[in-house]
Amino acid sequence: GAGVSQTPSNKVTEKGKYVELRCDPISGHTALYWYRQSLGQGPEFLIYFQGTGAADDSGLPNDRFFAVRPEGSVSTLKIQRTERGDSAVYLCASSRDRDTGELFFGEGSRLTVL
Amino acid sequence: AQRVTQPEKLLSVFKGAPVELKCNYSYSGSPELFWYVQYSRQRLQLLLRHISRESIKGFTADLNKGETSFHLKKPFAQEEDSAMYYCAVLEYNFNKFYFGSGTKLNVKP
């Protein structure tokens, strides 16, 4: 079976542009997480979905960031009016349910804002 | 507030030497602790979790609630252990994982 898939793997954009990053979790995994990893840092929590709803979006840095998971499977992280400080690797992870305690990560989407 | 602290950014040891990667956490509830590993050009993956109390690839980690630590240990390091290691705590009530900043382990031949 396929693991967590993230597209694009690499995205270069200009300051002020809009960006979408996609995550396709492992089939049947109800929990989905977005993390951001800057150089030299560990993954930083952004948002957590249980099914279709965002159970916790407290990690989103500001209202330029938004994420959806309309059918409880694929999720899209949307960043408006990108800034240079948004440059990072965006990681998606999924787990079977909230109690398994194991996250399965994608390979990440590297975003560079020029 | 920093929930997971990994004080060493880089740890270099020779093959066959013991290795200990330090992790301290701050969490008021009953924590669940994990170690995740990222080998070169691979995705982040689970190495071990404290509730399993098992040894994976020769690594063990003991949760010390008194010292709020969860150090990762291996008695004899191998070159293939070279990787980035991240300690993580699960904030169970909210199902949020917090990761440390990571330690790069370099095992020299």
Side-chain angles (χ1 to χ4, degrees), chain A residues 4 33 35 37 40 42-43 48 56 58 98-103 105 107, chain B residues 9 34 36 43-44 46 49 86 90 92-97 99-101:
Chain A
V4 177
Y33 299 78
Y35 283 84
Q37 188 170 23
Y48 154 61
D56 188 335
S58 62
R98 60 170 289 156
D99 295 326
T100 62
E102 178 174 1
L103 299 180
F105 280 88
E107 293 184 323
Chain B
K9 281 205 171 297
F34 304 81
Y36 278 77
R43 61 187 69 193
L44 198 55
L46 177 68
R49 70 190 83 181
Y86 295 94
L90 171 61
Y92 192 77
N93 287 344
F94 302 98
N95 214 41
K96 286 162 69 169
F97 287 80
F99 287 82
S101 56

PDB file of all heavy atoms in Angstrom, chain A residues 4 33 35 37 40 42-43 48 56 58 98-103 105 107, chain B residues 9 34 36 43-44 46 49 86 90 92-97 99-101:
ATOM      1  N   VAL A   4       1.842   8.041   2.811  1.00  0.00           N
ATOM      2  CA  VAL A   4       1.314   9.396   2.704  1.00  0.00           C
ATOM      3  C   VAL A   4       1.999  10.088   1.530  1.00  0.00           C
ATOM      4  O   VAL A   4       3.229  10.070   1.425  1.00  0.00           O
ATOM      5  CB  VAL A   4       1.557  10.178   4.010  1.00  0.00           C
ATOM      6  CG1 VAL A   4       1.074  11.612   3.861  1.00  0.00           C
ATOM      7  CG2 VAL A   4       0.863   9.482   5.182  1.00  0.00           C
ATOM      8  N   TYR A  33      -2.513  15.382  10.100  1.00  0.00           N
ATOM      9  CA  TYR A  33      -1.789  16.502  10.711  1.00  0.00           C
ATOM     10  C   TYR A  33      -0.973  17.234   9.654  1.00  0.00           C
ATOM     11  O   TYR A  33      -0.428  16.622   8.741  1.00  0.00           O
ATOM     12  CB  TYR A  33      -0.798  15.993  11.763  1.00  0.00           C
ATOM     13  CG  TYR A  33      -1.384  15.238  12.921  1.00  0.00           C
ATOM     14  CD1 TYR A  33      -1.777  13.913  12.788  1.00  0.00           C
ATOM     15  CD2 TYR A  33      -1.509  15.846  14.170  1.00  0.00           C
ATOM     16  CE1 TYR A  33      -2.293  13.210  13.861  1.00  0.00           C
ATOM     17  CE2 TYR A  33      -2.023  15.143  15.251  1.00  0.00           C
ATOM     18  CZ  TYR A  33      -2.411  13.835  15.093  1.00  0.00           C
ATOM     19  OH  TYR A  33      -2.920  13.138  16.161  1.00  0.00           O
ATOM     20  N   TYR A  35       2.377  19.771   9.673  1.00  0.00           N
ATOM     21  CA  TYR A  35       3.490  20.336  10.424  1.00  0.00           C
ATOM     22  C   TYR A  35       4.336  21.195   9.487  1.00  0.00           C
ATOM     23  O   TYR A  35       4.332  20.998   8.280  1.00  0.00           O
ATOM     24  CB  TYR A  35       4.394  19.235  11.004  1.00  0.00           C
ATOM     25  CG  TYR A  35       3.837  18.544  12.223  1.00  0.00           C
ATOM     26  CD1 TYR A  35       2.947  17.486  12.090  1.00  0.00           C
ATOM     27  CD2 TYR A  35       4.197  18.949  13.499  1.00  0.00           C
ATOM     28  CE1 TYR A  35       2.431  16.853  13.209  1.00  0.00           C
ATOM     29  CE2 TYR A  35       3.683  18.325  14.623  1.00  0.00           C
ATOM     30  CZ  TYR A  35       2.798  17.280  14.465  1.00  0.00           C
ATOM     31  OH  TYR A  35       2.283  16.657  15.582  1.00  0.00           O
ATOM     32  N   GLN A  37       8.374  22.539   9.093  1.00  0.00           N
ATOM     33  CA  GLN A  37       9.723  22.333   9.579  1.00  0.00           C
ATOM     34  C   GLN A  37      10.674  23.326   8.926  1.00  0.00           C
ATOM     35  O   GLN A  37      10.920  23.258   7.726  1.00  0.00           O
ATOM     36  CB  GLN A  37      10.186  20.904   9.332  1.00  0.00           C
ATOM     37  CG  GLN A  37      11.515  20.578   9.990  1.00  0.00           C
ATOM     38  CD  GLN A  37      11.845  19.099   9.943  1.00  0.00           C
ATOM     39  OE1 GLN A  37      11.348  18.363   9.098  1.00  0.00           O
ATOM     40  NE2 GLN A  37      12.680  18.653  10.865  1.00  0.00           N
ATOM     41  N   GLY A  40      16.909  23.350  10.610  1.00  0.00           N
ATOM     42  CA  GLY A  40      17.509  23.192  11.932  1.00  0.00           C
ATOM     43  C   GLY A  40      16.508  23.051  13.068  1.00  0.00           C
ATOM     44  O   GLY A  40      16.900  23.025  14.238  1.00  0.00           O
ATOM     45  N   GLY A  42      12.739  21.153  14.635  1.00  0.00           N
ATOM     46  CA  GLY A  42      11.864  20.001  14.546  1.00  0.00           C
ATOM     47  C   GLY A  42      10.531  20.380  13.935  1.00  0.00           C
ATOM     48  O   GLY A  42      10.239  21.572  13.755  1.00  0.00           O
ATOM     49  N   PRO A  43       9.715  19.401  13.605  1.00  0.00           N
ATOM     50  CA  PRO A  43       8.381  19.699  13.067  1.00  0.00           C
ATOM     51  C   PRO A  43       7.558  20.526  14.062  1.00  0.00           C
ATOM     52  O   PRO A  43       7.508  20.201  15.254  1.00  0.00           O
ATOM     53  CB  PRO A  43       7.776  18.313  12.856  1.00  0.00           C
ATOM     54  CG  PRO A  43       8.947  17.396  12.712  1.00  0.00           C
ATOM     55  CD  PRO A  43       9.987  17.956  13.621  1.00  0.00           C
ATOM     56  N   TYR A  48      -4.671  19.897  13.015  1.00  0.00           N
ATOM     57  CA  TYR A  48      -5.004  18.491  13.133  1.00  0.00           C
ATOM     58  C   TYR A  48      -6.466  18.294  12.732  1.00  0.00           C
ATOM     59  O   TYR A  48      -7.337  19.024  13.193  1.00  0.00           O
ATOM     60  CB  TYR A  48      -4.749  18.039  14.572  1.00  0.00           C
ATOM     61  CG  TYR A  48      -5.553  16.850  15.056  1.00  0.00           C
ATOM     62  CD1 TYR A  48      -5.453  15.612  14.432  1.00  0.00           C
ATOM     63  CD2 TYR A  48      -6.387  16.958  16.170  1.00  0.00           C
ATOM     64  CE1 TYR A  48      -6.176  14.527  14.892  1.00  0.00           C
ATOM     65  CE2 TYR A  48      -7.118  15.875  16.638  1.00  0.00           C
ATOM     66  CZ  TYR A  48      -7.005  14.661  15.985  1.00  0.00           C
ATOM     67  OH  TYR A  48      -7.712  13.572  16.435  1.00  0.00           O
ATOM     68  N   ASP A  56      -8.217  20.853  15.744  1.00  0.00           N
ATOM     69  CA  ASP A  56      -7.326  21.794  16.420  1.00  0.00           C
ATOM     70  C   ASP A  56      -6.516  22.540  15.373  1.00  0.00           C
ATOM     71  O   ASP A  56      -5.708  21.923  14.681  1.00  0.00           O
ATOM     72  CB  ASP A  56      -6.396  21.043  17.373  1.00  0.00           C
ATOM     73  CG  ASP A  56      -5.564  21.959  18.249  1.00  0.00           C
ATOM     74  OD1 ASP A  56      -5.324  23.122  17.862  1.00  0.00           O
ATOM     75  OD2 ASP A  56      -5.160  21.514  19.338  1.00  0.00           O
ATOM     76  N   SER A  58      -4.848  25.436  16.268  1.00  0.00           N
ATOM     77  CA  SER A  58      -4.167  26.434  17.085  1.00  0.00           C
ATOM     78  C   SER A  58      -2.734  26.715  16.643  1.00  0.00           C
ATOM     79  O   SER A  58      -2.142  27.710  17.043  1.00  0.00           O
ATOM     80  CB  SER A  58      -4.172  26.001  18.552  1.00  0.00           C
ATOM     81  OG  SER A  58      -3.474  24.777  18.709  1.00  0.00           O
ATOM     82  N   ARG A  98      -7.132   8.517  16.726  1.00  0.00           N
ATOM     83  CA  ARG A  98      -6.466   9.389  17.678  1.00  0.00           C
ATOM     84  C   ARG A  98      -5.732   8.628  18.759  1.00  0.00           C
ATOM     85  O   ARG A  98      -4.952   9.198  19.486  1.00  0.00           O
ATOM     86  CB  ARG A  98      -7.462  10.340  18.309  1.00  0.00           C
ATOM     87  CG  ARG A  98      -8.591   9.652  19.082  1.00  0.00           C
ATOM     88  CD  ARG A  98      -9.372  10.653  19.872  1.00  0.00           C
ATOM     89  NE  ARG A  98      -8.576  11.130  20.989  1.00  0.00           N
ATOM     90  CZ  ARG A  98      -8.759  12.298  21.579  1.00  0.00           C
ATOM     91  NH1 ARG A  98      -9.685  13.113  21.124  1.00  0.00           N
ATOM     92  NH2 ARG A  98      -8.026  12.663  22.596  1.00  0.00           N
ATOM     93  N   ASP A  99      -5.944   7.335  18.842  1.00  0.00           N
ATOM     94  CA  ASP A  99      -5.345   6.609  19.952  1.00  0.00           C
ATOM     95  C   ASP A  99      -4.150   5.742  19.572  1.00  0.00           C
ATOM     96  O   ASP A  99      -3.561   5.106  20.424  1.00  0.00           O
ATOM     97  CB  ASP A  99      -6.393   5.718  20.618  1.00  0.00           C
ATOM     98  CG  ASP A  99      -7.494   6.537  21.263  1.00  0.00           C
ATOM     99  OD1 ASP A  99      -7.181   7.635  21.760  1.00  0.00           O
ATOM    100  OD2 ASP A  99      -8.648   6.098  21.230  1.00  0.00           O
ATOM    101  N   THR A 100      -3.785   5.725  18.301  1.00  0.00           N
ATOM    102  CA  THR A 100      -2.711   4.799  17.923  1.00  0.00           C
ATOM    103  C   THR A 100      -1.344   5.319  18.327  1.00  0.00           C
ATOM    104  O   THR A 100      -0.441   4.543  18.576  1.00  0.00           O
ATOM    105  CB  THR A 100      -2.695   4.533  16.415  1.00  0.00           C
ATOM    106  OG1 THR A 100      -2.458   5.762  15.740  1.00  0.00           O
ATOM    107  CG2 THR A 100      -4.010   3.924  15.963  1.00  0.00           C
ATOM    108  N   GLY A 101      -1.191   6.603  18.346  1.00  0.00           N
ATOM    109  CA  GLY A 101       0.081   7.160  18.772  1.00  0.00           C
ATOM    110  C   GLY A 101       1.187   7.077  17.759  1.00  0.00           C
ATOM    111  O   GLY A 101       2.312   7.423  18.064  1.00  0.00           O
ATOM    112  N   GLU A 102       0.931   6.566  16.556  1.00  0.00           N
ATOM    113  CA  GLU A 102       1.980   6.542  15.554  1.00  0.00           C
ATOM    114  C   GLU A 102       1.570   7.396  14.363  1.00  0.00           C
ATOM    115  O   GLU A 102       0.493   7.217  13.788  1.00  0.00           O
ATOM    116  CB  GLU A 102       2.262   5.132  15.059  1.00  0.00           C
ATOM    117  CG  GLU A 102       3.337   5.096  13.969  1.00  0.00           C
ATOM    118  CD  GLU A 102       3.744   3.701  13.565  1.00  0.00           C
ATOM    119  OE1 GLU A 102       3.184   2.731  14.104  1.00  0.00           O
ATOM    120  OE2 GLU A 102       4.643   3.589  12.703  1.00  0.00           O
ATOM    121  N   LEU A 103       2.435   8.310  14.001  1.00  0.00           N
ATOM    122  CA  LEU A 103       2.220   9.150  12.834  1.00  0.00           C
ATOM    123  C   LEU A 103       2.985   8.585  11.648  1.00  0.00           C
ATOM    124  O   LEU A 103       4.143   8.193  11.787  1.00  0.00           O
ATOM    125  CB  LEU A 103       2.704  10.576  13.093  1.00  0.00           C
ATOM    126  CG  LEU A 103       2.021  11.344  14.221  1.00  0.00           C
ATOM    127  CD1 LEU A 103       2.633  12.741  14.331  1.00  0.00           C
ATOM    128  CD2 LEU A 103       0.540  11.436  13.986  1.00  0.00           C
ATOM    129  N   PHE A 105       4.405   9.788   8.150  1.00  0.00           N
ATOM    130  CA  PHE A 105       4.698  11.057   7.496  1.00  0.00           C
ATOM    131  C   PHE A 105       4.843  10.910   5.993  1.00  0.00           C
ATOM    132  O   PHE A 105       5.291   9.873   5.483  1.00  0.00           O
ATOM    133  CB  PHE A 105       6.004  11.637   8.046  1.00  0.00           C
ATOM    134  CG  PHE A 105       5.857  12.327   9.364  1.00  0.00           C
ATOM    135  CD1 PHE A 105       5.961  11.609  10.543  1.00  0.00           C
ATOM    136  CD2 PHE A 105       5.610  13.685   9.423  1.00  0.00           C
ATOM    137  CE1 PHE A 105       5.819  12.239  11.765  1.00  0.00           C
ATOM    138  CE2 PHE A 105       5.468  14.328  10.643  1.00  0.00           C
ATOM    139  CZ  PHE A 105       5.574  13.603  11.823  1.00  0.00           C
ATOM    140  N   GLU A 107       6.726  12.787   2.525  1.00  0.00           N
ATOM    141  CA  GLU A 107       8.090  13.252   2.297  1.00  0.00           C
ATOM    142  C   GLU A 107       8.206  14.768   2.385  1.00  0.00           C
ATOM    143  O   GLU A 107       9.303  15.304   2.391  1.00  0.00           O
ATOM    144  CB  GLU A 107       8.589  12.756   0.944  1.00  0.00           C
ATOM    145  CG  GLU A 107       8.757  11.234   0.912  1.00  0.00           C
ATOM    146  CD  GLU A 107       9.347  10.743  -0.383  1.00  0.00           C
ATOM    147  OE1 GLU A 107       9.009  11.307  -1.439  1.00  0.00           O
ATOM    148  OE2 GLU A 107      10.143   9.781  -0.362  1.00  0.00           O
TER     149      GLU A 107
ATOM    150  N   LYS B   9      22.587  19.320  19.275  1.00  0.00           N
ATOM    151  CA  LYS B   9      22.225  19.374  17.859  1.00  0.00           C
ATOM    152  C   LYS B   9      22.964  18.298  17.085  1.00  0.00           C
ATOM    153  O   LYS B   9      22.459  17.781  16.092  1.00  0.00           O
ATOM    154  CB  LYS B   9      22.564  20.761  17.293  1.00  0.00           C
ATOM    155  CG  LYS B   9      21.559  21.815  17.638  1.00  0.00           C
ATOM    156  CD  LYS B   9      21.584  22.934  16.617  1.00  0.00           C
ATOM    157  CE  LYS B   9      20.444  23.904  16.813  1.00  0.00           C
ATOM    158  NZ  LYS B   9      19.137  23.276  16.634  1.00  0.00           N
ATOM    159  N   PHE B  34       7.831   9.466  22.473  1.00  0.00           N
ATOM    160  CA  PHE B  34       8.215   8.735  21.269  1.00  0.00           C
ATOM    161  C   PHE B  34       9.590   9.208  20.803  1.00  0.00           C
ATOM    162  O   PHE B  34      10.003  10.333  21.088  1.00  0.00           O
ATOM    163  CB  PHE B  34       7.235   9.021  20.114  1.00  0.00           C
ATOM    164  CG  PHE B  34       5.799   8.719  20.434  1.00  0.00           C
ATOM    165  CD1 PHE B  34       5.024   9.614  21.147  1.00  0.00           C
ATOM    166  CD2 PHE B  34       5.213   7.551  19.982  1.00  0.00           C
ATOM    167  CE1 PHE B  34       3.700   9.357  21.445  1.00  0.00           C
ATOM    168  CE2 PHE B  34       3.884   7.274  20.263  1.00  0.00           C
ATOM    169  CZ  PHE B  34       3.128   8.183  20.994  1.00  0.00           C
ATOM    170  N   TYR B  36      11.297   9.521  17.003  1.00  0.00           N
ATOM    171  CA  TYR B  36      11.173   9.394  15.563  1.00  0.00           C
ATOM    172  C   TYR B  36      12.560   9.560  14.951  1.00  0.00           C
ATOM    173  O   TYR B  36      13.409  10.263  15.501  1.00  0.00           O
ATOM    174  CB  TYR B  36      10.227  10.454  14.990  1.00  0.00           C
ATOM    175  CG  TYR B  36       8.768  10.083  15.113  1.00  0.00           C
ATOM    176  CD1 TYR B  36       8.105  10.202  16.331  1.00  0.00           C
ATOM    177  CD2 TYR B  36       8.065   9.591  14.020  1.00  0.00           C
ATOM    178  CE1 TYR B  36       6.762   9.838  16.444  1.00  0.00           C
ATOM    179  CE2 TYR B  36       6.731   9.232  14.124  1.00  0.00           C
ATOM    180  CZ  TYR B  36       6.091   9.356  15.339  1.00  0.00           C
ATOM    181  OH  TYR B  36       4.775   8.989  15.455  1.00  0.00           O
ATOM    182  N   ARG B  43      11.744   9.568   4.707  1.00  0.00           N
ATOM    183  CA  ARG B  43      10.772  10.325   5.483  1.00  0.00           C
ATOM    184  C   ARG B  43      10.903  10.022   6.970  1.00  0.00           C
ATOM    185  O   ARG B  43      11.476   8.991   7.361  1.00  0.00           O
ATOM    186  CB  ARG B  43       9.357  10.034   4.985  1.00  0.00           C
ATOM    187  CG  ARG B  43       8.925   8.578   5.091  1.00  0.00           C
ATOM    188  CD  ARG B  43       7.580   8.364   4.410  1.00  0.00           C
ATOM    189  NE  ARG B  43       7.674   8.494   2.959  1.00  0.00           N
ATOM    190  CZ  ARG B  43       6.624   8.598   2.155  1.00  0.00           C
ATOM    191  NH1 ARG B  43       5.401   8.617   2.662  1.00  0.00           N
ATOM    192  NH2 ARG B  43       6.770   8.689   0.842  1.00  0.00           N
ATOM    193  N   LEU B  44      10.371  10.922   7.760  1.00  0.00           N
ATOM    194  CA  LEU B  44      10.357  10.756   9.210  1.00  0.00           C
ATOM    195  C   LEU B  44       9.519   9.520   9.569  1.00  0.00           C
ATOM    196  O   LEU B  44       8.428   9.318   9.034  1.00  0.00           O
ATOM    197  CB  LEU B  44       9.739  12.015   9.810  1.00  0.00           C
ATOM    198  CG  LEU B  44       9.939  12.353  11.266  1.00  0.00           C
ATOM    199  CD1 LEU B  44      11.414  12.410  11.611  1.00  0.00           C
ATOM    200  CD2 LEU B  44       9.280  13.689  11.566  1.00  0.00           C
ATOM    201  N   LEU B  46       8.540   6.444  12.852  1.00  0.00           N
ATOM    202  CA  LEU B  46       8.583   6.090  14.260  1.00  0.00           C
ATOM    203  C   LEU B  46       9.713   5.100  14.528  1.00  0.00           C
ATOM    204  O   LEU B  46       9.863   4.108  13.802  1.00  0.00           O
ATOM    205  CB  LEU B  46       7.251   5.470  14.679  1.00  0.00           C
ATOM    206  CG  LEU B  46       7.156   4.988  16.120  1.00  0.00           C
ATOM    207  CD1 LEU B  46       7.191   6.165  17.086  1.00  0.00           C
ATOM    208  CD2 LEU B  46       5.882   4.176  16.329  1.00  0.00           C
ATOM    209  N   ARG B  49       8.298   3.835  21.016  1.00  0.00           N
ATOM    210  CA  ARG B  49       7.433   4.591  21.919  1.00  0.00           C
ATOM    211  C   ARG B  49       7.565   3.984  23.307  1.00  0.00           C
ATOM    212  O   ARG B  49       7.805   2.777  23.436  1.00  0.00           O
ATOM    213  CB  ARG B  49       5.986   4.530  21.450  1.00  0.00           C
ATOM    214  CG  ARG B  49       5.325   3.170  21.598  1.00  0.00           C
ATOM    215  CD  ARG B  49       3.988   3.107  20.909  1.00  0.00           C
ATOM    216  NE  ARG B  49       4.127   2.820  19.485  1.00  0.00           N
ATOM    217  CZ  ARG B  49       3.104   2.731  18.648  1.00  0.00           C
ATOM    218  NH1 ARG B  49       1.880   2.952  19.086  1.00  0.00           N
ATOM    219  NH2 ARG B  49       3.298   2.444  17.385  1.00  0.00           N
ATOM    220  N   TYR B  86      14.406  12.621  16.514  1.00  0.00           N
ATOM    221  CA  TYR B  86      13.507  13.587  17.124  1.00  0.00           C
ATOM    222  C   TYR B  86      12.733  12.928  18.259  1.00  0.00           C
ATOM    223  O   TYR B  86      12.119  11.868  18.074  1.00  0.00           O
ATOM    224  CB  TYR B  86      12.497  14.124  16.103  1.00  0.00           C
ATOM    225  CG  TYR B  86      13.103  14.925  14.984  1.00  0.00           C
ATOM    226  CD1 TYR B  86      13.439  14.322  13.773  1.00  0.00           C
ATOM    227  CD2 TYR B  86      13.348  16.285  15.127  1.00  0.00           C
ATOM    228  CE1 TYR B  86      13.996  15.045  12.742  1.00  0.00           C
ATOM    229  CE2 TYR B  86      13.904  17.023  14.090  1.00  0.00           C
ATOM    230  CZ  TYR B  86      14.234  16.393  12.908  1.00  0.00           C
ATOM    231  OH  TYR B  86      14.787  17.132  11.898  1.00  0.00           O
ATOM    232  N   LEU B  90       3.264  13.263  23.156  1.00  0.00           N
ATOM    233  CA  LEU B  90       1.868  13.323  22.742  1.00  0.00           C
ATOM    234  C   LEU B  90       1.047  13.940  23.850  1.00  0.00           C
ATOM    235  O   LEU B  90       1.024  13.441  24.981  1.00  0.00           O
ATOM    236  CB  LEU B  90       1.348  11.915  22.432  1.00  0.00           C
ATOM    237  CG  LEU B  90      -0.162  11.783  22.194  1.00  0.00           C
ATOM    238  CD1 LEU B  90      -0.595  12.608  20.991  1.00  0.00           C
ATOM    239  CD2 LEU B  90      -0.545  10.316  22.003  1.00  0.00           C
ATOM    240  N   TYR B  92      -2.031  14.019  25.107  1.00  0.00           N
ATOM    241  CA  TYR B  92      -3.043  13.015  24.808  1.00  0.00           C
ATOM    242  C   TYR B  92      -4.435  13.592  24.690  1.00  0.00           C
ATOM    243  O   TYR B  92      -5.188  13.256  23.783  1.00  0.00           O
ATOM    244  CB  TYR B  92      -2.992  11.906  25.857  1.00  0.00           C
ATOM    245  CG  TYR B  92      -3.798  10.703  25.470  1.00  0.00           C
ATOM    246  CD1 TYR B  92      -3.302   9.806  24.524  1.00  0.00           C
ATOM    247  CD2 TYR B  92      -5.038  10.479  26.018  1.00  0.00           C
ATOM    248  CE1 TYR B  92      -4.041   8.705  24.149  1.00  0.00           C
ATOM    249  CE2 TYR B  92      -5.787   9.379  25.644  1.00  0.00           C
ATOM    250  CZ  TYR B  92      -5.276   8.491  24.710  1.00  0.00           C
ATOM    251  OH  TYR B  92      -6.013   7.401  24.329  1.00  0.00           O
ATOM    252  N   ASN B  93      -4.803  14.468  25.608  1.00  0.00           N
ATOM    253  CA  ASN B  93      -6.182  14.979  25.601  1.00  0.00           C
ATOM    254  C   ASN B  93      -6.507  15.738  24.314  1.00  0.00           C
ATOM    255  O   ASN B  93      -7.666  15.832  23.924  1.00  0.00           O
ATOM    256  CB  ASN B  93      -6.413  15.890  26.800  1.00  0.00           C
ATOM    257  CG  ASN B  93      -6.496  15.101  28.090  1.00  0.00           C
ATOM    258  OD1 ASN B  93      -6.677  13.882  28.067  1.00  0.00           O
ATOM    259  ND2 ASN B  93      -6.369  15.775  29.204  1.00  0.00           N
ATOM    260  N   PHE B  94      -5.500  16.299  23.700  1.00  0.00           N
ATOM    261  CA  PHE B  94      -5.719  17.105  22.508  1.00  0.00           C
ATOM    262  C   PHE B  94      -5.149  16.444  21.257  1.00  0.00           C
ATOM    263  O   PHE B  94      -5.214  16.996  20.177  1.00  0.00           O
ATOM    264  CB  PHE B  94      -5.103  18.492  22.694  1.00  0.00           C
ATOM    265  CG  PHE B  94      -5.646  19.213  23.891  1.00  0.00           C
ATOM    266  CD1 PHE B  94      -4.966  19.211  25.086  1.00  0.00           C
ATOM    267  CD2 PHE B  94      -6.860  19.860  23.813  1.00  0.00           C
ATOM    268  CE1 PHE B  94      -5.478  19.855  26.193  1.00  0.00           C
ATOM    269  CE2 PHE B  94      -7.380  20.520  24.911  1.00  0.00           C
ATOM    270  CZ  PHE B  94      -6.685  20.512  26.110  1.00  0.00           C
ATOM    271  N   ASN B  95      -4.566  15.278  21.449  1.00  0.00           N
ATOM    272  CA  ASN B  95      -4.007  14.521  20.340  1.00  0.00           C
ATOM    273  C   ASN B  95      -3.005  15.336  19.531  1.00  0.00           C
ATOM    274  O   ASN B  95      -2.995  15.253  18.306  1.00  0.00           O
ATOM    275  CB  ASN B  95      -5.117  14.002  19.434  1.00  0.00           C
ATOM    276  CG  ASN B  95      -4.756  12.651  18.858  1.00  0.00           C
ATOM    277  OD1 ASN B  95      -4.216  11.801  19.550  1.00  0.00           O
ATOM    278  ND2 ASN B  95      -5.023  12.450  17.590  1.00  0.00           N
ATOM    279  N   LYS B  96      -2.188  16.112  20.195  1.00  0.00           N
ATOM    280  CA  LYS B  96      -1.169  16.900  19.524  1.00  0.00           C
ATOM    281  C   LYS B  96       0.198  16.352  19.875  1.00  0.00           C
ATOM    282  O   LYS B  96       0.494  16.083  21.032  1.00  0.00           O
ATOM    283  CB  LYS B  96      -1.255  18.364  19.959  1.00  0.00           C
ATOM    284  CG  LYS B  96      -2.441  19.082  19.343  1.00  0.00           C
ATOM    285  CD  LYS B  96      -2.784  20.337  20.081  1.00  0.00           C
ATOM    286  CE  LYS B  96      -1.781  21.419  19.956  1.00  0.00           C
ATOM    287  NZ  LYS B  96      -2.302  22.707  20.477  1.00  0.00           N
ATOM    288  N   PHE B  97       1.003  16.183  18.864  1.00  0.00           N
ATOM    289  CA  PHE B  97       2.377  15.750  19.046  1.00  0.00           C
ATOM    290  C   PHE B  97       3.281  16.973  19.001  1.00  0.00           C
ATOM    291  O   PHE B  97       3.184  17.791  18.090  1.00  0.00           O
ATOM    292  CB  PHE B  97       2.799  14.807  17.921  1.00  0.00           C
ATOM    293  CG  PHE B  97       2.197  13.437  17.991  1.00  0.00           C
ATOM    294  CD1 PHE B  97       0.904  13.217  17.540  1.00  0.00           C
ATOM    295  CD2 PHE B  97       2.925  12.370  18.491  1.00  0.00           C
ATOM    296  CE1 PHE B  97       0.346  11.946  17.598  1.00  0.00           C
ATOM    297  CE2 PHE B  97       2.368  11.104  18.537  1.00  0.00           C
ATOM    298  CZ  PHE B  97       1.085  10.887  18.097  1.00  0.00           C
ATOM    299  N   PHE B  99       7.317  18.045  18.894  1.00  0.00           N
ATOM    300  CA  PHE B  99       8.629  17.491  18.577  1.00  0.00           C
ATOM    301  C   PHE B  99       9.738  18.385  19.108  1.00  0.00           C
ATOM    302  O   PHE B  99       9.595  19.605  19.161  1.00  0.00           O
ATOM    303  CB  PHE B  99       8.797  17.357  17.057  1.00  0.00           C
ATOM    304  CG  PHE B  99       7.986  16.243  16.456  1.00  0.00           C
ATOM    305  CD1 PHE B  99       6.652  16.422  16.150  1.00  0.00           C
ATOM    306  CD2 PHE B  99       8.575  15.013  16.197  1.00  0.00           C
ATOM    307  CE1 PHE B  99       5.896  15.393  15.597  1.00  0.00           C
ATOM    308  CE2 PHE B  99       7.832  13.975  15.638  1.00  0.00           C
ATOM    309  CZ  PHE B  99       6.490  14.164  15.355  1.00  0.00           C
ATOM    310  N   GLY B 100      10.845  17.745  19.478  1.00  0.00           N
ATOM    311  CA  GLY B 100      12.040  18.498  19.793  1.00  0.00           C
ATOM    312  C   GLY B 100      12.722  18.970  18.515  1.00  0.00           C
ATOM    313  O   GLY B 100      12.274  18.659  17.407  1.00  0.00           O
ATOM    314  N   SER B 101      13.805  19.703  18.691  1.00  0.00           N
ATOM    315  CA  SER B 101      14.496  20.275  17.534  1.00  0.00           C
ATOM    316  C   SER B 101      15.415  19.282  16.837  1.00  0.00           C
ATOM    317  O   SER B 101      15.969  19.574  15.790  1.00  0.00           O
ATOM    318  CB  SER B 101      15.287  21.515  17.951  1.00  0.00           C
ATOM    319  OG  SER B 101      16.173  21.177  18.995  1.00  0.00           O
TER     320      SER B 101
END
